Amino acid sequence: MSIKGWRVHFTRRDPAWPREATPFIREFSSLFSGLDEGLDDLGVPEGQPFLVPHQATFALP
């Protein structure tokens, strides 16, 4: 199924993680290790909505 429009997502702290650490999770877990602190530093509240275009590109400050 192709998504042709914008999608709304919401920020979440403490996302669910798999019970067993796969090689993928081990490799990329460091990318998410400071996510909560980074969102707090930027003043992004829990549940803040944000838009993701159908190209799945992101504009970072």
Side-chain angles (χ1 to χ4, degrees):
M1 179 168 104
S2 178
I3 297 174
K4 301 280 185 192
W6 290 76
R7 294 174 286 162
V8 176
H9 291 267
F10 300 89
T11 57
R12 283 185 51 199
R13 307 285 197 288
D14 300 321
W17 291 96
R19 291 181 185 180
E20 182 179 326
T22 64
F24 177 83
I25 295 295
R26 282 192 293 275
E27 183 174 346
F28 292 101
S29 64
S30 64
L31 294 175
F32 301 102
S33 63
L35 182 61
D36 292 348
E37 293 82 12
L39 291 173
D40 291 340
D41 291 345
L42 292 171
V44 178
E46 175 73 15
Q48 174 73 39
F50 63 96
L51 296 173
V52 178
H54 68 278
Q55 301 95 341
T57 56
F58 297 92
L60 300 174

Short mmCIF file of all heavy atoms in Angstrom, two decimals:
data_model
loop_
_atom_site.label_atom_id
_atom_site.label_comp_id
_atom_site.label_asym_id
_atom_site.label_seq_id
_atom_site.Cartn_x
_atom_site.Cartn_y
_atom_site.Cartn_z
N MET A 1 0.85 -1.17 0.00
CA MET A 1 0.00 0.00 0.00
C MET A 1 0.89 1.23 0.00
O MET A 1 1.82 1.35 0.78
CB MET A 1 -0.89 -0.03 1.23
CG MET A 1 -1.80 1.16 1.33
SD MET A 1 -3.04 0.92 2.59
CE MET A 1 -2.38 1.96 3.87
N SER A 2 0.59 2.15 -0.85
CA SER A 2 1.38 3.37 -0.96
C SER A 2 0.68 4.50 -0.21
O SER A 2 -0.53 4.70 -0.34
CB SER A 2 1.52 3.73 -2.44
OG SER A 2 2.22 4.92 -2.58
N ILE A 3 1.45 5.24 0.57
CA ILE A 3 0.91 6.38 1.31
C ILE A 3 1.23 7.63 0.51
O ILE A 3 2.39 7.92 0.25
CB ILE A 3 1.50 6.45 2.73
CG1 ILE A 3 1.09 5.21 3.51
CG2 ILE A 3 1.05 7.72 3.43
CD1 ILE A 3 1.74 5.10 4.86
N LYS A 4 0.22 8.37 0.13
CA LYS A 4 0.38 9.53 -0.73
C LYS A 4 0.33 10.86 0.01
O LYS A 4 0.48 11.90 -0.58
CB LYS A 4 -0.70 9.54 -1.81
CG LYS A 4 -0.69 8.32 -2.68
CD LYS A 4 0.37 8.44 -3.72
CE LYS A 4 0.27 7.25 -4.65
NZ LYS A 4 1.37 7.10 -5.52
N GLY A 5 0.05 10.86 1.29
CA GLY A 5 -0.08 12.11 2.01
C GLY A 5 0.78 12.17 3.25
O GLY A 5 1.61 11.30 3.50
N TRP A 6 0.60 13.22 4.00
CA TRP A 6 1.33 13.40 5.25
C TRP A 6 0.74 12.50 6.32
O TRP A 6 -0.45 12.20 6.32
CB TRP A 6 1.20 14.85 5.70
CG TRP A 6 1.95 15.80 4.82
CD1 TRP A 6 1.59 16.23 3.59
CD2 TRP A 6 3.20 16.41 5.11
NE1 TRP A 6 2.53 17.08 3.10
CE2 TRP A 6 3.53 17.22 4.01
CE3 TRP A 6 4.07 16.36 6.18
CZ2 TRP A 6 4.69 17.96 3.97
CZ3 TRP A 6 5.23 17.11 6.14
CH2 TRP A 6 5.52 17.89 5.04
N ARG A 7 1.58 12.07 7.25
CA ARG A 7 1.13 11.26 8.39
C ARG A 7 1.48 12.01 9.67
O ARG A 7 2.51 12.66 9.75
CB ARG A 7 1.82 9.90 8.39
CG ARG A 7 1.41 9.04 7.22
CD ARG A 7 2.20 7.78 7.17
NE ARG A 7 3.54 8.12 6.70
CZ ARG A 7 4.61 7.36 6.85
NH1 ARG A 7 4.53 6.22 7.45
NH2 ARG A 7 5.78 7.74 6.39
N VAL A 8 0.63 11.89 10.67
CA VAL A 8 0.88 12.50 11.97
C VAL A 8 1.42 11.43 12.90
O VAL A 8 0.86 10.34 13.01
CB VAL A 8 -0.40 13.11 12.57
CG1 VAL A 8 -0.13 13.66 13.95
CG2 VAL A 8 -0.95 14.19 11.65
N HIS A 9 2.53 11.72 13.55
CA HIS A 9 3.11 10.86 14.58
C HIS A 9 3.23 11.67 15.85
O HIS A 9 3.15 12.90 15.81
CB HIS A 9 4.48 10.34 14.14
CG HIS A 9 4.41 9.38 13.01
ND1 HIS A 9 4.34 8.02 13.19
CD2 HIS A 9 4.38 9.57 11.67
CE1 HIS A 9 4.28 7.42 12.02
NE2 HIS A 9 4.29 8.35 11.07
N PHE A 10 3.42 11.00 16.96
CA PHE A 10 3.52 11.67 18.25
C PHE A 10 4.79 11.21 18.96
O PHE A 10 5.15 10.04 18.89
CB PHE A 10 2.29 11.34 19.11
CG PHE A 10 1.00 11.77 18.47
CD1 PHE A 10 0.31 10.94 17.63
CD2 PHE A 10 0.51 13.04 18.70
CE1 PHE A 10 -0.87 11.34 17.02
CE2 PHE A 10 -0.66 13.46 18.09
CZ PHE A 10 -1.36 12.61 17.25
N THR A 11 5.46 12.16 19.62
CA THR A 11 6.67 11.80 20.35
C THR A 11 6.31 10.88 21.51
O THR A 11 5.24 11.00 22.11
CB THR A 11 7.39 13.04 20.91
OG1 THR A 11 6.48 13.76 21.75
CG2 THR A 11 7.89 13.93 19.80
N ARG A 12 7.21 9.94 21.80
CA ARG A 12 7.01 9.00 22.90
C ARG A 12 8.32 8.81 23.63
O ARG A 12 9.36 8.63 23.01
CB ARG A 12 6.56 7.64 22.38
CG ARG A 12 5.12 7.58 21.97
CD ARG A 12 4.71 6.20 21.58
NE ARG A 12 5.09 5.22 22.59
CZ ARG A 12 5.18 3.93 22.36
NH1 ARG A 12 4.94 3.46 21.16
NH2 ARG A 12 5.52 3.10 23.31
N ARG A 13 8.25 8.83 24.92
CA ARG A 13 9.40 8.48 25.73
C ARG A 13 9.31 6.99 26.05
O ARG A 13 8.23 6.40 26.01
CB ARG A 13 9.40 9.26 27.05
CG ARG A 13 9.29 10.78 26.94
CD ARG A 13 10.59 11.40 26.48
NE ARG A 13 10.74 12.82 26.68
CZ ARG A 13 10.12 13.77 26.00
NH1 ARG A 13 9.21 13.47 25.13
NH2 ARG A 13 10.40 15.03 26.19
N ASP A 14 10.40 6.38 26.32
CA ASP A 14 10.45 4.95 26.68
C ASP A 14 9.71 4.06 25.68
O ASP A 14 8.73 3.41 26.02
CB ASP A 14 9.88 4.73 28.09
CG ASP A 14 10.64 5.48 29.15
OD1 ASP A 14 11.87 5.54 29.03
OD2 ASP A 14 10.01 6.02 30.06
N PRO A 15 10.17 4.03 24.43
CA PRO A 15 9.50 3.15 23.46
C PRO A 15 9.66 1.68 23.84
O PRO A 15 10.59 1.32 24.57
CB PRO A 15 10.21 3.45 22.14
CG PRO A 15 11.54 3.97 22.54
CD PRO A 15 11.34 4.67 23.86
N ALA A 16 8.78 0.86 23.34
CA ALA A 16 8.86 -0.58 23.61
C ALA A 16 10.06 -1.16 22.85
O ALA A 16 10.29 -0.82 21.69
CB ALA A 16 7.58 -1.26 23.16
N TRP A 17 10.82 -2.01 23.51
CA TRP A 17 11.97 -2.67 22.91
C TRP A 17 11.73 -4.16 22.89
O TRP A 17 11.03 -4.70 23.76
CB TRP A 17 13.25 -2.37 23.71
CG TRP A 17 13.67 -0.95 23.61
CD1 TRP A 17 13.39 0.07 24.49
CD2 TRP A 17 14.44 -0.35 22.57
NE1 TRP A 17 13.93 1.23 24.06
CE2 TRP A 17 14.58 1.02 22.89
CE3 TRP A 17 15.01 -0.84 21.41
CZ2 TRP A 17 15.29 1.89 22.06
CZ3 TRP A 17 15.71 0.03 20.59
CH2 TRP A 17 15.84 1.38 20.92
N PRO A 18 12.31 -4.87 21.93
CA PRO A 18 12.16 -6.33 21.90
C PRO A 18 12.76 -6.96 23.16
O PRO A 18 13.71 -6.42 23.74
CB PRO A 18 12.95 -6.76 20.66
CG PRO A 18 13.24 -5.54 19.90
CD PRO A 18 13.10 -4.38 20.82
N ARG A 19 12.22 -8.09 23.56
CA ARG A 19 12.75 -8.78 24.75
C ARG A 19 14.15 -9.29 24.52
O ARG A 19 14.98 -9.31 25.43
CB ARG A 19 11.84 -9.93 25.13
CG ARG A 19 10.51 -9.47 25.64
CD ARG A 19 9.66 -10.63 26.03
NE ARG A 19 8.35 -10.12 26.40
CZ ARG A 19 7.36 -10.86 26.79
NH1 ARG A 19 7.51 -12.16 26.86
NH2 ARG A 19 6.22 -10.32 27.11
N GLU A 20 14.43 -9.73 23.30
CA GLU A 20 15.74 -10.26 22.98
C GLU A 20 16.48 -9.24 22.11
O GLU A 20 15.95 -8.74 21.12
CB GLU A 20 15.61 -11.57 22.21
CG GLU A 20 16.92 -12.21 21.87
CD GLU A 20 16.74 -13.52 21.12
OE1 GLU A 20 15.77 -14.22 21.40
OE2 GLU A 20 17.58 -13.80 20.25
N ALA A 21 17.71 -8.91 22.49
CA ALA A 21 18.50 -7.94 21.73
C ALA A 21 19.05 -8.60 20.48
O ALA A 21 19.88 -9.50 20.55
CB ALA A 21 19.62 -7.40 22.59
N THR A 22 18.56 -8.15 19.34
CA THR A 22 19.04 -8.67 18.06
C THR A 22 20.30 -7.90 17.66
O THR A 22 20.58 -6.84 18.22
CB THR A 22 17.96 -8.49 16.98
OG1 THR A 22 17.75 -7.09 16.80
CG2 THR A 22 16.67 -9.18 17.36
N PRO A 23 21.05 -8.39 16.70
CA PRO A 23 22.22 -7.65 16.23
C PRO A 23 21.87 -6.23 15.76
O PRO A 23 22.62 -5.29 16.01
CB PRO A 23 22.76 -8.49 15.07
CG PRO A 23 22.32 -9.88 15.39
CD PRO A 23 20.98 -9.73 16.05
N PHE A 24 20.73 -6.08 15.11
CA PHE A 24 20.29 -4.75 14.67
C PHE A 24 20.09 -3.82 15.86
O PHE A 24 20.54 -2.68 15.85
CB PHE A 24 18.99 -4.88 13.86
CG PHE A 24 18.44 -3.56 13.42
CD1 PHE A 24 18.92 -2.93 12.29
CD2 PHE A 24 17.43 -2.94 14.15
CE1 PHE A 24 18.41 -1.71 11.88
CE2 PHE A 24 16.91 -1.73 13.75
CZ PHE A 24 17.40 -1.10 12.61
N ILE A 25 19.39 -4.30 16.87
CA ILE A 25 19.13 -3.49 18.06
C ILE A 25 20.44 -3.13 18.76
O ILE A 25 20.64 -1.99 19.18
CB ILE A 25 18.18 -4.22 19.04
CG1 ILE A 25 16.80 -4.39 18.40
CG2 ILE A 25 18.08 -3.51 20.37
CD1 ILE A 25 16.06 -3.10 18.13
N ARG A 26 21.33 -4.08 18.89
CA ARG A 26 22.62 -3.80 19.53
C ARG A 26 23.41 -2.76 18.76
O ARG A 26 24.03 -1.87 19.34
CB ARG A 26 23.44 -5.08 19.69
CG ARG A 26 22.98 -5.96 20.84
CD ARG A 26 23.99 -7.05 21.14
NE ARG A 26 24.10 -8.04 20.07
CZ ARG A 26 23.30 -9.10 19.93
NH1 ARG A 26 22.34 -9.31 20.79
NH2 ARG A 26 23.47 -9.94 18.93
N GLU A 27 23.36 -2.83 17.43
CA GLU A 27 24.14 -1.90 16.61
C GLU A 27 23.59 -0.47 16.69
O GLU A 27 24.35 0.49 16.72
CB GLU A 27 24.14 -2.37 15.16
CG GLU A 27 24.98 -1.49 14.26
CD GLU A 27 25.10 -2.03 12.85
OE1 GLU A 27 24.76 -3.22 12.62
OE2 GLU A 27 25.55 -1.27 11.99
N PHE A 28 22.28 -0.33 16.72
CA PHE A 28 21.69 1.00 16.65
C PHE A 28 21.14 1.52 17.98
O PHE A 28 20.61 2.63 18.02
CB PHE A 28 20.58 1.02 15.59
CG PHE A 28 21.12 0.86 14.20
CD1 PHE A 28 21.05 -0.36 13.56
CD2 PHE A 28 21.72 1.91 13.55
CE1 PHE A 28 21.56 -0.52 12.28
CE2 PHE A 28 22.23 1.77 12.28
CZ PHE A 28 22.16 0.55 11.64
N SER A 29 21.28 0.78 19.05
CA SER A 29 20.74 1.23 20.34
C SER A 29 21.41 2.52 20.81
O SER A 29 20.79 3.32 21.50
CB SER A 29 20.86 0.14 21.39
OG SER A 29 22.21 -0.15 21.64
N SER A 30 22.67 2.73 20.43
CA SER A 30 23.35 3.96 20.86
C SER A 30 22.72 5.20 20.25
O SER A 30 22.78 6.29 20.83
CB SER A 30 24.83 3.89 20.51
OG SER A 30 25.00 3.83 19.11
N LEU A 31 22.06 5.06 19.09
CA LEU A 31 21.39 6.21 18.48
C LEU A 31 20.23 6.71 19.33
O LEU A 31 19.89 7.89 19.30
CB LEU A 31 20.87 5.84 17.08
CG LEU A 31 21.91 5.53 16.02
CD1 LEU A 31 21.23 5.06 14.75
CD2 LEU A 31 22.77 6.75 15.75
N PHE A 32 19.61 5.80 20.07
CA PHE A 32 18.43 6.15 20.86
C PHE A 32 18.74 6.37 22.33
O PHE A 32 17.86 6.75 23.09
CB PHE A 32 17.38 5.04 20.73
CG PHE A 32 16.95 4.81 19.31
CD1 PHE A 32 17.43 3.74 18.59
CD2 PHE A 32 16.08 5.68 18.68
CE1 PHE A 32 17.05 3.52 17.28
CE2 PHE A 32 15.69 5.48 17.37
CZ PHE A 32 16.18 4.40 16.67
N SER A 33 19.98 6.17 22.74
CA SER A 33 20.31 6.22 24.16
C SER A 33 20.07 7.59 24.78
O SER A 33 19.68 7.69 25.92
CB SER A 33 21.76 5.78 24.39
OG SER A 33 22.64 6.68 23.75
N GLY A 34 20.26 8.67 24.05
CA GLY A 34 20.05 10.01 24.61
C GLY A 34 18.82 10.70 24.08
O GLY A 34 18.68 11.92 24.21
N LEU A 35 17.90 9.93 23.51
CA LEU A 35 16.73 10.53 22.88
C LEU A 35 15.87 11.30 23.88
O LEU A 35 15.48 12.43 23.62
CB LEU A 35 15.90 9.45 22.19
CG LEU A 35 14.65 9.94 21.46
CD1 LEU A 35 15.02 10.90 20.35
CD2 LEU A 35 13.87 8.76 20.91
N ASP A 36 15.56 10.71 25.02
CA ASP A 36 14.72 11.39 26.01
C ASP A 36 15.33 12.70 26.46
O ASP A 36 14.66 13.73 26.53
CB ASP A 36 14.47 10.49 27.23
CG ASP A 36 13.61 9.29 26.90
OD1 ASP A 36 13.02 9.25 25.80
OD2 ASP A 36 13.54 8.38 27.74
N GLU A 37 16.63 12.68 26.76
CA GLU A 37 17.31 13.89 27.20
C GLU A 37 17.34 14.94 26.10
O GLU A 37 17.18 16.13 26.35
CB GLU A 37 18.73 13.59 27.68
CG GLU A 37 18.80 12.74 28.93
CD GLU A 37 18.64 11.25 28.66
OE1 GLU A 37 18.69 10.82 27.46
OE2 GLU A 37 18.44 10.51 29.62
N GLY A 38 17.55 14.49 24.86
CA GLY A 38 17.56 15.42 23.73
C GLY A 38 16.22 16.10 23.52
O GLY A 38 16.16 17.30 23.28
N LEU A 39 15.14 15.33 23.63
CA LEU A 39 13.80 15.92 23.51
C LEU A 39 13.53 16.89 24.66
O LEU A 39 12.96 17.97 24.45
CB LEU A 39 12.74 14.82 23.49
CG LEU A 39 12.71 13.93 22.24
CD1 LEU A 39 11.74 12.79 22.43
CD2 LEU A 39 12.40 14.73 21.00
N ASP A 40 13.97 16.53 25.86
CA ASP A 40 13.80 17.43 27.01
C ASP A 40 14.58 18.72 26.82
O ASP A 40 14.07 19.81 27.09
CB ASP A 40 14.23 16.74 28.31
CG ASP A 40 13.31 15.61 28.72
OD1 ASP A 40 12.15 15.58 28.24
OD2 ASP A 40 13.75 14.75 29.50
N ASP A 41 15.82 18.62 26.33
CA ASP A 41 16.66 19.80 26.11
C ASP A 41 16.04 20.74 25.08
O ASP A 41 16.19 21.96 25.17
CB ASP A 41 18.06 19.40 25.65
CG ASP A 41 18.87 18.72 26.74
OD1 ASP A 41 18.46 18.79 27.92
OD2 ASP A 41 19.89 18.10 26.41
N LEU A 42 15.36 20.17 24.09
CA LEU A 42 14.71 20.97 23.05
C LEU A 42 13.34 21.47 23.47
O LEU A 42 12.70 22.24 22.74
CB LEU A 42 14.58 20.15 21.76
CG LEU A 42 15.89 19.83 21.05
CD1 LEU A 42 15.64 18.84 19.92
CD2 LEU A 42 16.52 21.09 20.51
N GLY A 43 12.86 21.04 24.64
CA GLY A 43 11.55 21.47 25.12
C GLY A 43 10.39 20.79 24.42
O GLY A 43 9.29 21.33 24.35
N VAL A 44 10.61 19.59 23.88
CA VAL A 44 9.56 18.85 23.18
C VAL A 44 8.78 18.03 24.21
O VAL A 44 9.34 17.15 24.85
CB VAL A 44 10.15 17.92 22.11
CG1 VAL A 44 9.05 17.11 21.43
CG2 VAL A 44 10.96 18.71 21.10
N PRO A 45 7.49 18.33 24.40
CA PRO A 45 6.71 17.60 25.40
C PRO A 45 6.32 16.20 24.92
O PRO A 45 6.29 15.92 23.71
CB PRO A 45 5.47 18.47 25.59
CG PRO A 45 5.31 19.18 24.31
CD PRO A 45 6.70 19.39 23.76
N GLU A 46 6.02 15.34 25.87
CA GLU A 46 5.52 13.99 25.56
C GLU A 46 4.21 14.12 24.79
O GLU A 46 3.34 14.93 25.14
CB GLU A 46 5.27 13.23 26.87
CG GLU A 46 4.65 11.87 26.69
CD GLU A 46 5.63 10.84 26.14
OE1 GLU A 46 6.84 11.08 26.14
OE2 GLU A 46 5.15 9.80 25.70
N GLY A 47 4.07 13.37 23.70
CA GLY A 47 2.85 13.40 22.91
C GLY A 47 2.78 14.52 21.89
O GLY A 47 1.75 14.71 21.26
N GLN A 48 3.88 15.27 21.72
CA GLN A 48 3.89 16.37 20.74
C GLN A 48 3.68 15.80 19.34
O GLN A 48 4.41 14.92 18.91
CB GLN A 48 5.23 17.09 20.79
CG GLN A 48 5.42 18.15 19.74
CD GLN A 48 4.59 19.38 20.00
OE1 GLN A 48 4.47 19.79 21.15
NE2 GLN A 48 4.02 19.95 18.98
N PRO A 49 2.67 16.29 18.59
CA PRO A 49 2.47 15.78 17.24
C PRO A 49 3.51 16.36 16.28
O PRO A 49 3.98 17.47 16.46
CB PRO A 49 1.06 16.26 16.88
CG PRO A 49 0.83 17.44 17.75
CD PRO A 49 1.64 17.21 19.00
N PHE A 50 3.88 15.58 15.28
CA PHE A 50 4.74 16.07 14.20
C PHE A 50 4.34 15.38 12.92
O PHE A 50 3.76 14.30 12.92
CB PHE A 50 6.23 15.89 14.52
CG PHE A 50 6.66 14.46 14.68
CD1 PHE A 50 7.22 13.76 13.63
CD2 PHE A 50 6.52 13.81 15.91
CE1 PHE A 50 7.62 12.44 13.79
CE2 PHE A 50 6.93 12.51 16.07
CZ PHE A 50 7.48 11.82 15.01
N LEU A 51 4.59 16.04 11.81
CA LEU A 51 4.20 15.53 10.50
C LEU A 51 5.37 14.86 9.80
O LEU A 51 6.50 15.32 9.88
CB LEU A 51 3.69 16.67 9.62
CG LEU A 51 2.42 17.37 10.09
CD1 LEU A 51 2.13 18.59 9.21
CD2 LEU A 51 1.25 16.42 10.08
N VAL A 52 5.08 13.76 9.12
CA VAL A 52 6.06 13.06 8.30
C VAL A 52 5.48 13.00 6.89
O VAL A 52 4.40 12.46 6.68
CB VAL A 52 6.33 11.64 8.83
CG1 VAL A 52 7.32 10.92 7.92
CG2 VAL A 52 6.83 11.68 10.25
N PRO A 53 6.20 13.57 5.90
CA PRO A 53 5.68 13.53 4.54
C PRO A 53 5.77 12.14 3.95
O PRO A 53 6.48 11.27 4.47
CB PRO A 53 6.59 14.51 3.77
CG PRO A 53 7.85 14.53 4.55
CD PRO A 53 7.47 14.29 5.98
N HIS A 54 5.09 11.92 2.85
CA HIS A 54 5.08 10.58 2.25
C HIS A 54 6.46 10.15 1.76
O HIS A 54 6.71 8.97 1.61
CB HIS A 54 4.05 10.51 1.12
CG HIS A 54 4.36 11.33 -0.08
ND1 HIS A 54 4.09 12.69 -0.14
CD2 HIS A 54 4.96 11.01 -1.25
CE1 HIS A 54 4.48 13.15 -1.31
NE2 HIS A 54 5.01 12.16 -2.00
N GLN A 55 7.40 11.09 1.55
CA GLN A 55 8.75 10.71 1.18
C GLN A 55 9.57 10.27 2.38
O GLN A 55 10.70 9.83 2.24
CB GLN A 55 9.50 11.89 0.51
CG GLN A 55 8.85 12.42 -0.72
CD GLN A 55 7.96 13.62 -0.41
OE1 GLN A 55 7.55 13.84 0.73
NE2 GLN A 55 7.62 14.37 -1.43
N ALA A 56 9.01 10.39 3.58
CA ALA A 56 9.64 10.01 4.84
C ALA A 56 10.95 10.78 5.06
O ALA A 56 11.91 10.27 5.60
CB ALA A 56 9.88 8.52 4.92
N THR A 57 10.97 12.05 4.67
CA THR A 57 12.13 12.90 4.93
C THR A 57 11.84 13.73 6.18
O THR A 57 10.68 13.98 6.50
CB THR A 57 12.42 13.83 3.74
OG1 THR A 57 11.24 14.59 3.47
CG2 THR A 57 12.82 13.04 2.51
N PHE A 58 12.88 14.15 6.86
CA PHE A 58 12.71 14.89 8.09
C PHE A 58 13.51 16.18 8.01
O PHE A 58 14.61 16.20 7.47
CB PHE A 58 13.20 14.08 9.29
CG PHE A 58 12.43 12.82 9.50
CD1 PHE A 58 12.87 11.63 8.92
CD2 PHE A 58 11.28 12.81 10.25
CE1 PHE A 58 12.16 10.46 9.10
CE2 PHE A 58 10.57 11.65 10.44
CZ PHE A 58 11.01 10.48 9.85
N ALA A 59 12.97 17.25 8.55
CA ALA A 59 13.69 18.51 8.67
C ALA A 59 14.12 18.65 10.11
O ALA A 59 13.30 18.74 11.02
CB ALA A 59 12.78 19.67 8.27
N LEU A 60 15.41 18.61 10.34
CA LEU A 60 15.94 18.72 11.70
C LEU A 60 16.43 20.13 11.94
O LEU A 60 17.04 20.74 11.06
CB LEU A 60 17.08 17.72 11.91
CG LEU A 60 16.70 16.25 11.72
CD1 LEU A 60 17.93 15.39 11.81
CD2 LEU A 60 15.66 15.84 12.73
N PRO A 61 16.20 20.66 13.16
CA PRO A 61 16.67 22.02 13.45
C PRO A 61 18.18 22.08 13.51
O PRO A 61 18.87 21.15 13.71
CB PRO A 61 16.06 22.33 14.81
CG PRO A 61 15.64 21.04 15.39
CD PRO A 61 15.52 20.06 14.26
#
